[in-house]
Amino acid sequence: MPYIKVENLSFSYKDKKKKINVLDNVSITFETNKIHVVLGKSGSGKTTFLKCINGLLDYEGHIFYDDAVVDQVPIGERNTGYVSQEFALYPHYDIFTSIAYPLKINGTGVDEIRKRVNEIAKELGIAEILSRKPKQISIGQAQRASLARALIKRPTICLLDEPLSNVDYTNRQEIRYYLKKILNKYNITSIYVTHDLKEATAVADYIYLLDEGKFVAYGTVEDILFSKNPKVREFFESLKDETF
Ligand code: ADP
């Protein structure tokens, strides 16, 4: 299973002829089969980072999945799953069809599709909603169905961009449980971005704090919570009006 290595990654854009750096010469390695949470304030570069990892942006530097450089590999040829806060479900089709779609377009046979969709739906506790349309299921079920769709091709890497932002408190606990279970079971290396410290501590094996386009701290949940790094303390200070 792959680890992900990022070498001298930079991303910038031009604003009135001025070059603005969003990611500034980032080098980091994400260990295999773990949930890595990239935590940072809004605007720190989290989504840009995730999009670079997934090959959606033109960046400087190099990204490796295991020892293979993937800079020139188009997104469709990378074995990654992507989950965002928007539910990836077709409004007019049943949930089975939405989950099955990535297999259908790569030519998987009907019996195999049925087997795989039923299996993952069972894993995620949504077997009973496969014949329903998106408007007939709860938000928590919709996000679990989106997760099933992202993982149906059994990717070795899963990239998650604030996946629980649109999910209420009760459903969040439930989805976190299923998320951790399935990422572990399928040996997936995942990068999960969020601005929410509570979210980060609930799902992470490791946390990486991103500040103005640079990683300023990383470690286990405990390392980060008890860190004396001034950048970590500053980040916590910025949350002091939020309940934890
Ligand atoms: P985060 O996900 O941490 O909120 P983003 O990666 O979305 O941060 O964006 C980081 C910063 O870079 C934001 O201020 C955003 O507006 C800016 N940015 C990123 N890409 C561009 C672009 N192509 N043009 C203009 N601004 C951009």
Side-chain angles (χ1 to χ4, degrees), residues 11 13 22 40-49 161-162 193 210:
F11 178 84
Y13 63 92
V22 179
K41 285 184 226 170
S42 175
S44 58
K46 302 182 297 296
T47 297
T48 305
F49 181 72
D161 191 355
E162 308 254 7
V193 314
L210 189 63

Side-chain angles (χ1 to χ4, degrees), residues 96-114:
F96 182 98
T97 306
S98 285
I99 297 175
Y101 188 73
L103 290 181
K104 199 173 164 200
I105 54 167
N106 81 0
T108 309
V110 178
D111 290 343
E112 178 67 11
I113 291 181
R114 191 172 306 118

Side-chain angles (χ1 to χ4, degrees), residues 109-127:
V110 178
D111 290 343
E112 178 67 11
I113 291 181
R114 191 172 306 118
K115 183 169 151 262
R116 297 258 293 266
V117 173
N118 285 328
E119 186 190 343
I120 200 160
K122 212 165 138 202
E123 288 287 348
L124 290 168
I126 49 171

Side-chain angles (χ1 to χ4, degrees), residues 158-169:
C158 185
L159 305 168
L160 304 108
D161 191 355
E162 308 254 7
L164 302 185
S165 297
N166 288 332
V167 176
D168 59 76
Y169 180 79

